[in-house]
Amino acid sequence: MIKKIRESRILNHFIRDPSAVIGLTICLVLMIGAIFAPLIAPQNPYYLQSLSYENCLRPPVWMEGGTAPFLFGTDDQGRGVFSTILYGLRVSLGVGFGVVLIAGTVGSLIGIMAGYYRGLLDVLSMRVADTLFAFSTTLLAFLILGITGSKGILVVIIAISLADWVRYARTTRGNVLSVVEEDYISAARAIGAVDLRIIFKHIIPNILSSIFVISAIDLAIVIMLEATLSFLGIGVPLTEPSLGMLIAKGREYLYAGKWWLILFPGGVLAALVISINLFADWLREEINPKIQRHQSVE
Amino acid sequence: MYAYIIRRFIQSIGVALLVSFLCFFLFQYMGDPVLTMVGKRATQEEMEKVRESLGLDKPFYMQYLVFLKNALHGDLGKSYTNRLPVFDLIVERAPATIELATFAMIIASFLGISLGVVSALKPDSLMTRFIMAGSLIGVSLPTFLIGLLLILVFAVMLGILPPFGRGQIVQIGAWRTNFLTFSGIKHIILPGITLGFFELALILRLTRAEVGEVLGQDYIRTAWSKGLPGRVVIFKHALRNSLIPVITMIGLGLGELIAFATITETIFQWPGMCRLFLSAIYGNDYPVIVGYIILMAFVILFINLAVDILYTFLNPKIRYD
């Protein structure tokens, strides 16, 4: 009952905030587009037999020289940009959610352990976290992928996660430190609850909402980072291009004035990140205004 | 206090050593540089000769110790691709990067702090809405996209600003500067804005949040009720206290700045040290990669240390004992 009232309160706040509604709507539209890409896209851009050199480098459909199925024009292989964007979104979102899941789980667990047990584990993990933090997620991901080279989507997800868990560990640890001081934790201890029970029954439910907030902010950051890495050629492989990779390929035709190869994938990438950020900002204000964006961006 | 500084100093050196060891260790397993250098048609003997001349025939720990000893003398080895000393390669390109980064950070700090104050003073005005929408775009557009869009608009479509290179530079001693010729200044505008845009948005958002918080406090109300003029209240009382976290963020954001400089230099073909790093990655030029990482690690670690120490002076409430 109480939970229902709470939910409706959040829902009410949400409906009254136009930027949050717009953000979530765009997000969902893009996600649905990505999930159902094979159904929506007029062609499968990576099925070679569907491509034809006659159609290469055509401008968008409303300009002179544009033809019917290629809404946003075509690239140098005759792939429709609209279709490559839908397929690229799958990779971008896949990496984004993959990293948030891995780095979020691992980072939060490390943060919880460090904050709950303190001691050597805390000192060591936070020393490592501080050091990694000083290098910044972006630079670390550069270094890791610079060493391993571009070896597939999974390697990209793991490399970014290795650099990214710090964000979760630091904030979670801070949250745990303040939750542990609460009376209900002492009460749980007094009635003889074991550590594992206290952590899962009392600590995690109380810090989960702020982990959600960081995850939302982090999703936007990771998608940008993946796009950057792929743009530089140390991210996803050529065979499974993400939005960043599409932009990198479009860059070759930048000076030739083939602007649609950059502007459309770039616009979709920007729309995706902006809409996630709009929603994340609302979520942060709603759940925990104390979390500052810069803490997680640095 | 001094004990704290010394402890942090030793810690930083330890971390730098660890970084150097990790890099060196990892690169043992990353392909054979000899093969890349001599090509596929070389005979076994030729390859052995090259291996020996590079010291790659010695055991791993010897290679590392020799590397460490040389590094302390400023010798980070020679590039595999052009056989020039790594240290010289990096130092020679440092001025271009430092000028670009300084230019970007000056724009970002000046605009970020002033726009942040404006939007904190008038949180509901139309101006603030515009500023905040702009800053949202600033933190949401990846650096490479900003750079490409700027090139597309100002170089390809309008043709008023050059899209690559440093233009005409003036040599002063060992330093080559962009700021003394018209062409040099024109060339730094687009990459400078690209690099500064994200930092600008971050600084703006943080300044706005901090100033907004400070403005609600009692001592500000006291200052207003004493009848102090607005600029004194804002600049002397409010801004001063809000700037501490902003300065810390700028100092601790150095790693991010270096990463973004790498992207900017790649897009604008800026001949700085960050681009050197990326081309070293493409070319498997390990000495350059390792040397660069170690130098950067040193710079980042010790700037962080300096920021921490500065922080204690700026904010006397904090003690590290």
Side-chain angles (χ1 to χ4, degrees):
Chain A
M1 184 67 189
I2 292 171
K3 207 180 164 201
K4 259 190 186 160
I5 296 168
R6 234 178 94 87
E7 273 169 5
S8 71
R9 184 182 65 90
I10 286 192
L11 196 68
N12 272 327
H13 284 197
F14 177 71
I15 291 168
R16 282 199 208 119
D17 191 330
S19 58
V21 174
I22 294 171
L24 189 64
T25 312
I26 298 176
C27 253
L28 288 178
V29 168
L30 292 175
M31 278 176 204
I32 290 169
I35 293 169
F36 296 106
L39 299 177
I40 300 169
Q43 54 164 180
N44 179 349
Y46 304 106
Y47 180 61
L48 289 177
Q49 273 159 345
S50 72
L51 307 178
S52 144
Y53 271 110
E54 277 167 36
N55 290 326
C56 71
L57 291 173
R58 284 194 186 271
V61 77
W62 57 87
M63 287 175 67
E64 212 184 306
T67 46
F70 306 118
L71 187 60
F72 290 165
T74 59
D75 70 2
D76 55 349
Q77 307 284 321
R79 298 185 191 108
V81 174
F82 182 70
S83 308
T84 55
I85 287 175
L86 285 176
Y87 279 83
L89 264 172
R90 302 184 119 192
V91 180
S92 295
L93 283 166
V95 172
F97 279 109
V99 171
V100 167
L101 202 67
I102 296 178
T105 313
V106 174
S108 305
L109 282 179
I110 292 177
I112 291 169
M113 294 297 156
Y116 188 78
Y117 290 107
R118 309 297 306 270
L120 189 66
L121 179 78
D122 187 26
V123 174
L124 271 182
S125 63
M126 286 304 124
R127 223 0 88 221
V128 174
D130 283 347
T131 311
L132 293 185
F133 206 61
F135 280 81
S136 89
T137 314
T138 319
L139 193 59
L140 273 175
F142 278 11
L143 300 184
I144 297 171
L145 284 167
I147 295 168
T148 61
S150 176
K151 294 248 166 61
I153 291 179
L154 200 63
V155 175
V156 176
I157 294 178
I158 293 170
I160 300 179
S161 301
L162 273 176
D164 196 54
W165 62 272
V166 179
R167 218 188 290 284
Y168 295 89
R170 283 166 60 114
T171 320
T172 313
R173 174 183 173 269
N175 286 337
V176 171
L177 283 184
S178 62
V179 169
V180 163
E181 299 292 314
E182 301 282 343
D183 287 340
Y184 56 81
I185 300 290
S186 324
R189 280 217 181 96
I191 59 170
V194 292
D195 286 347
L196 217 57
R197 186 183 163 81
I198 294 179
I199 289 175
F200 279 96
K201 280 272 171 186
H202 301 285
I203 291 182
I204 291 183
N206 278 300
I207 59 170
L208 207 56
S209 59
S210 57
I211 295 180
F212 272 134
V213 176
I214 311 168
S215 304
I217 298 173
D218 192 41
L219 180 64
I221 297 173
V222 171
I223 289 176
M224 282 208 286
L225 179 54
E226 182 279 325
T228 303
L229 293 166
S230 299
F231 174 79
L232 292 176
I234 49 178
V236 298
L238 265 168
T239 47
E240 285 165 291
S242 66
L243 293 174
M245 174 75 85
L246 293 179
I247 298 169
K249 283 198 279 181
R251 186 185 169 213
E252 293 163 22
Y253 293 93
L254 179 64
Y255 296 109
K258 315 283 186 211
W259 51 269
W260 58 90
L261 293 176
I262 286 186
L263 235 46
F264 291 121
V268 171
L269 176 64
L272 178 64
V273 178
I274 290 175
S275 61
I276 297 174
N277 272 334
L278 278 176
F279 182 68
D281 272 357
W282 171 80
L283 204 64
R284 177 174 58 90
E285 294 279 334
E286 188 68 31
I287 291 179
N288 189 353
K290 274 193 212 138
I291 299 173
Q292 287 278 334
R293 170 169 284 277
H294 67 269
Q295 281 178 345
S296 48
V297 168
E298 272 170 15
Chain B
M1 181 71 204
Y2 289 108
Y4 169 76
I5 293 176
I6 292 168
R7 203 170 67 228
R8 280 290 317 264
F9 191 77
I10 295 170
Q11 248 166 23
S12 299
I13 290 178
V15 172
L17 273 176
L18 196 68
V19 170
S20 73
F21 181 78
L22 275 179
C23 291
F24 207 82
F25 180 74
L26 282 173
F27 281 115
Q28 296 298 307
Y29 301 99
M30 297 297 151
D32 188 356
V34 176
L35 205 63
T36 352
M37 280 172 74
V38 297
K40 279 180 186 144
R41 296 212 183 118
T43 62
Q44 198 65 34
E45 279 153 40
E46 281 170 328
M47 280 176 64
E48 286 310 317
K49 231 178 186 171
V50 176
R51 201 178 297 277
E52 230 166 276
S53 73
L54 292 170
L56 291 173
D57 54 335
K58 297 197 184 77
F60 171 69
Y61 69 93
M62 276 300 290
Q63 286 184 36
Y64 179 64
L65 286 180
V66 169
F67 170 78
L68 217 55
K69 194 191 103 197
N70 292 339
L72 288 175
H73 293 97
D75 175 8
L76 291 166
K78 282 185 180 139
S79 157
Y80 286 154
T81 42
N82 53 20
R83 319 243 166 161
L84 293 169
V86 172
F87 191 77
D88 297 354
L89 274 176
I90 295 174
V91 169
E92 189 196 349
R93 280 163 179 75
T97 301
I98 294 171
E99 282 199 346
L100 179 62
T102 316
F103 180 74
M105 283 316 286
I106 288 174
I107 298 180
S109 317
F110 180 73
L111 282 180
I113 291 174
S114 42
L115 291 178
V117 171
V118 169
S119 59
L121 286 177
K122 295 194 172 120
D124 296 319
S125 71
L126 196 65
M127 171 94 161
T128 301
R129 294 223 175 128
F130 271 117
I131 295 175
M132 290 319 284
S135 81
L136 182 71
I137 294 174
V139 292
S140 301
L141 280 188
T143 303
F144 73 90
L145 196 55
I146 295 172
L148 291 181
L149 292 179
L150 288 176
I151 290 180
L152 191 63
V153 174
F154 290 100
V156 179
M157 288 178 176
L158 299 176
I160 45 175
L161 287 170
F164 53 78
R166 279 185 90 181
Q168 199 137 28
I169 44 179
V170 177
Q171 182 109 25
I172 306 170
W175 191 280
R176 296 200 195 114
T177 181
N178 256 60
F179 291 107
L180 290 175
T181 63
F182 183 59
S183 143
I185 291 172
K186 251 170 84 172
H187 276 81
I188 207 171
I189 293 177
L190 288 186
I193 294 175
T194 304
L195 181 56
F197 205 65
F198 185 81
E199 298 285 339
L200 164 65
L202 274 190
I203 293 172
L204 191 160
R205 287 175 153 244
L206 185 59
T207 310
R208 182 183 119 103
E210 293 294 332
V211 173
E213 204 180 307
V214 167
L215 280 181
Q217 285 181 7
D218 287 343
Y219 75 93
I220 297 292
R221 216 169 300 143
T222 314
W224 284 119
S225 56
K226 273 200 303 189
L228 288 176
R231 66 187 155 79
V232 176
V233 179
I234 292 159
F235 289 106
K236 224 179 150 194
H237 293 247
L239 192 59
R240 239 175 142 178
N241 281 298
S242 332
L243 278 187
I244 297 173
V246 178
I247 291 171
T248 320
M249 190 197 72
I250 295 174
L252 296 184
L254 186 74
E256 199 87 310
L257 188 69
I258 293 172
F260 289 145
T262 313
I263 303 158
T264 310
E265 288 182 3
T266 310
I267 296 170
F268 291 95
Q269 292 164 43
W270 191 260
M273 56 180 184
C274 299
R275 199 161 78 99
L276 177 76
F277 169 63
L278 212 63
S279 39
I281 288 182
Y282 295 146
N284 288 347
D285 197 343
Y286 307 138
V288 176
I289 300 177
V290 173
Y292 178 84
I293 295 177
I294 290 169
L295 272 184
M296 287 307 114
F298 257 90
V299 172
I300 290 173
L301 289 170
F302 286 98
I303 294 228
N304 271 352
L305 180 62
V307 170
D308 272 1
I309 295 169
L310 192 71
Y311 197 61
T312 55
F313 286 107
L314 284 174
N315 189 354
K317 271 193 263 172
I318 290 182
R319 285 278 169 263
Y320 287 108
D321 302 314

